[in-house]
Amino acid sequence: MRWTPVSTVGAVSAVDADRLPAARDPEYRCSPWTQSQGVDPIGSAGEFDQLLLVEWALPWPSDVSEIEPLAVAAADPRARVMAVVPHADSMEDGLRRVVHHRRTGTHSFDSVDHRVPVDAIPALLGALLDAPDRPVHDWPSVVGDAPPEVLVCGHGRRDPCCGRWGTLLHVELAARGSDARVWRCSHTGGHRFAPTAITLPDGRAWAYADVALLDCVLARSGDVAAVAAHDRGCTAFDPWAQVVERAQFVEHGWAWLDGEVTSVRTEVASDRGSAIVELGWRLADGRAGRVEAEVAVTRILPVLVCGEPPEAAKKTSPELALVRLDRFDG
């Protein structure tokens, strides 16, 4: 089914995210600066096995945990909770869509759409968190399975780069229509790689996203090595394992996304400067294998506050790289 774009409430209202104080230097926007340093984004994806999307009208606070109906679920370590800008149909009848994505494999989620009144959102989120594996299709809130989705971070109050370039990308994607449903979402992490996106059901996070990249990902076509340069990692794994898993993605191509990682073990060095990762896998055609790899921190980079120079940064982030990979037959 082709997803038909509809008007999105507040689609371009994050222009306020571009309102940097005049004294700040546009040269030091976090995303262009990070890209200019040639930073590899791999290992920067969040890790989750449940993702809850809740339609919530703009403006959002800088942290969605400050939205009262979302607060308890947002603090629960069992899931990632994001706000998404409501689609037009939710504004017509007063109901809000809650999309529950539950991991069923390395690159697959079971995804269900619910629609409830605003005051019923906390109870629904709690019920989904308490029974993640329970069949829900007979719940009165269910309206059907969710289609493939693209989440584009346009959380301007969290970061101006996401507010600017993420919002522009969302508008472009939503206007053209595709087989995927496109959401403007709250913070995905990694704003220094804006525009950032998450694709579902494969559950991968993407850096410096554009329409061409996301078209390739959704269609599973094109040069995987070129696509992988934008890969922040598979959300099934910790940062170290994300590096090794991406190497297998490049090695096996798009068929990798139809396979399964059957085992994973990460042993981080005491100084946290490196890790040994063991990863076993099986492809859909029955081929299997195992790798042992060493991943190391190659650089520690500042995470810029947009508009301020690197020396003013309050946070840093490691850049990870694969330094050794040994392959074993299945």
Side-chain angles (χ1 to χ4, degrees), residues 258-282:
D258 292 320
E260 286 293 327
V261 171
T262 54
S263 63
V264 63
R265 184 180 73 86
T266 302
E267 183 178 340
V268 182
S270 57
D271 64 358
R272 301 200 63 81
S274 64
I276 301 298
V277 177
E278 295 179 2
L279 188 146
W281 51 267
R282 182 177 297 278

Side-chain angles (χ1 to χ4, degrees), residues 56 67-73 118 121-122 125:
W56 198 264
I67 300 172
E68 185 175 352
L70 279 56
V72 173
V118 171
I121 289 174
L125 295 178

Side-chain angles (χ1 to χ4, degrees), residues 88-97 115-119 121:
D89 56 352
S90 292
M91 301 307 292
E92 293 169 357
D93 60 11
L95 300 180
R96 293 292 181 270
R97 188 178 282 106
R115 297 194 76 222
V116 293
V118 171
D119 60 6
I121 289 174

Side-chain angles (χ1 to χ4, degrees), residues 211-223:
V211 170
L213 171 74
L214 295 172
D215 279 349
C216 284
V217 173
L218 293 170
R220 294 191 179 183
S221 65
D223 182 1

Side-chain angles (χ1 to χ4, degrees), residues 153-174:
C153 181
H155 198 163
R157 290 197 174 181
R158 185 69 175 234
D159 179 76
C161 285
C162 293
R164 176 184 236 184
W165 289 297
T167 298
L168 291 173
L169 176 59
H170 170 262
V171 169
E172 186 176 3
L173 287 167

Side-chain angles (χ1 to χ4, degrees), residues 191-207:
H191 51 74
R192 62 196 180 281
F193 300 119
T196 61
I198 296 173
T199 49
L200 293 154
D202 60 16
R204 298 191 86 86
W206 303 97

